[in-house]
Amino acid sequence: MASQEIENLVQALSKLPGLGPRSARRAVLHLIKRPETTMKPILAAMERVQANLVTCDICGNVDTQDPCQICVDPRRDEKALCVVEEVSDLWALDKSRLFPGKFHVLGGRLSALDGVRPEDIGIDKLIKRVERGGIDEVVLAMNATLEGQTTAHYIAERLENYPLRLSQLSHGIPVGGELDYLDEGTLAQALRSRRPINSD
């Protein structure tokens, strides 16, 4: 039987995504087994992040500086902007190193059921960024959910009168995916997004 303090730590960790009670208990046991090499560095890193954590006023990214490192990076294409729902989406796309431009985090998606309206997320801030000029392309990288696609459609309507190229991430069959394992929605989107094969 663990002490209440250790049990509280297990319960706190079990609330993290991907960690249930058993995984949290294993993580805690690993931490307390070698506190000098595991627990202390993690505690120090968490304290530093907590002390310096800010939200970028330009794009909505979470960083320890404002503007964030992405916004101040001179190697990035100022004319290309990728719009995402959440910071986790930004981090996933940025990690791929496939998008050379900058980002805009909405901080959510439109949802009539949850009462999330356009003014509740960063759509107006996005429009103001576009209005300032200098952006030639906006990529809508919304998740392939009903709410994500509704959000993308709404943003596309708001941006249709601006002189820029508007594109959306393609959704469909993942690399290595087998048709009989895919759900109907993924297959339908793959069929709608089909493209011709150029024959030489």
Side-chain angles (χ1 to χ4, degrees), residues 29-169:
L29 286 171
H30 179 76
L31 288 171
I32 61 179
K33 194 173 185 180
R34 294 187 183 93
E36 294 296 324
T37 57
T38 57
M39 190 179 294
K40 286 191 176 181
I42 289 173
L43 283 172
M46 289 178 72
E47 286 174 355
R48 284 193 300 274
V49 168
Q50 183 185 21
N52 299 300
L53 193 65
V54 290
T55 300
C56 178
D57 197 44
I58 297 172
C59 73
N61 187 19
V62 177
D63 203 338
T64 54
Q65 67 181 53
D66 182 19
C68 72
Q69 294 183 43
I70 292 174
C71 286
V72 299
D73 187 346
R75 297 167 297 178
R76 291 192 176 263
D77 184 357
E78 299 268 354
K79 297 180 179 181
L81 188 65
C82 183
V83 182
V84 296
E85 293 177 22
E86 300 290 351
V87 172
S88 58
D89 304 323
L90 183 159
W91 289 1
L93 282 169
D94 191 51
K95 186 178 181 184
S96 73
R97 300 184 186 275
L98 295 174
F99 183 71
K102 303 212 172 179
F103 291 90
H104 184 87
V105 180
L106 295 173
R109 59 184 174 235
L110 298 177
S111 174
L113 289 175
D114 297 325
V116 180
R117 303 161 300 169
E119 55 268 25
D120 297 326
I121 56 179
I123 295 176
D124 289 338
K125 197 170 183 179
L126 167 66
I127 303 302
K128 287 176 183 172
R129 283 184 80 175
V130 171
E131 282 176 348
R132 284 194 288 271
I135 296 173
D136 293 341
E137 179 183 13
V138 173
V139 179
L140 301 177
M142 309 294 103
N143 289 314
T145 61
L146 178 61
E147 294 87 357
Q149 297 311 297
T150 300
T151 306
H153 182 72
Y154 178 82
I155 293 171
E157 285 184 344
R158 294 278 304 269
L159 294 176
E160 64 183 357
N161 295 323
Y162 293 93
L164 51 80
R165 188 169 65 252
L166 191 61
S167 60
Q168 185 173 3
L169 288 186

Side-chain angles (χ1 to χ4, degrees), residues 163-181:
L164 51 80
R165 188 169 65 252
L166 191 61
S167 60
Q168 185 173 3
L169 288 186
S170 178
H171 302 290
I173 299 172
V175 175
E178 297 182 26
L179 296 182
D180 59 339
Y181 289 105

